[in-house]
Amino acid sequence: MIVYVYMIKILDFTLLLFYCLFIYWLSDQSSLPAPLWFDYQDKLITPGLFYYGLLAWRSFKHLVRSPIILALLSIAFCSLYGLSDEWHQSFVVGRESDSADWVADTMAQY
């Protein structure tokens, strides 16, 4: 039973790490293959990052017991990663950094 719990912890943190790497890779692209049908379309795609918040919650639940602290830690992690992602995009040719994207990233975690 102890080995199973340990493997679940490793799996949760590994999934979060790979999702972070996937977001980094997407942010490093000068353009994304999604067609642009209207302005601010990217703000509506952001709620797909709900899974990112879920992965953070699953990973951090192994570290803290309080549900309030768990929620705050997950939101803080996703918000800070979103902030670093916007900063990273500011250096990528063809991409732009936008505070509205960061707010959308953070709000998608709720």
Side-chain angles (χ1 to χ4, degrees):
M1 181 69 171
I2 293 174
V3 172
Y4 175 75
V5 172
Y6 183 70
M7 289 177 62
I8 293 296
K9 288 180 186 181
I10 290 174
L11 178 64
D12 287 341
F13 280 104
T14 303
L15 289 173
L16 179 62
L17 174 68
F18 278 113
Y19 203 79
C20 288
L21 291 172
F22 176 67
I23 291 172
Y24 182 88
W25 177 78
L26 285 176
S27 295
D28 209 34
Q29 306 304 307
S30 59
S31 65
L32 296 177
L36 186 61
W37 294 315
F38 54 89
D39 290 339
Y40 305 110
Q41 174 181 326
D42 59 330
K43 310 303 185 273
L44 295 177
I45 295 172
T46 299
L49 294 178
F50 165 76
Y51 298 109
Y52 175 53
L54 182 64
L55 289 173
W57 178 82
R58 283 187 54 96
S59 297
F60 295 136
K61 75 176 182 171
H62 301 294
L63 302 176
V64 296
R65 298 279 181 208
S66 170
I68 294 172
I69 294 175
L70 176 59
L72 292 175
L73 182 62
S74 298
I75 291 169
F77 175 80
C78 292
S79 181
L80 290 173
Y81 191 78
L83 184 64
S84 71
D85 181 52
E86 291 304 317
W87 182 68
H88 170 235
Q89 285 183 21
S90 70
F91 296 103
V92 177
V93 175
R95 300 295 295 264
E96 60 185 38
S97 180
D98 187 9
S99 60
D101 281 344
W102 174 62
V103 170
D105 292 344
T106 300
M107 296 305 292
Q109 310 316 313
Y110 289 105

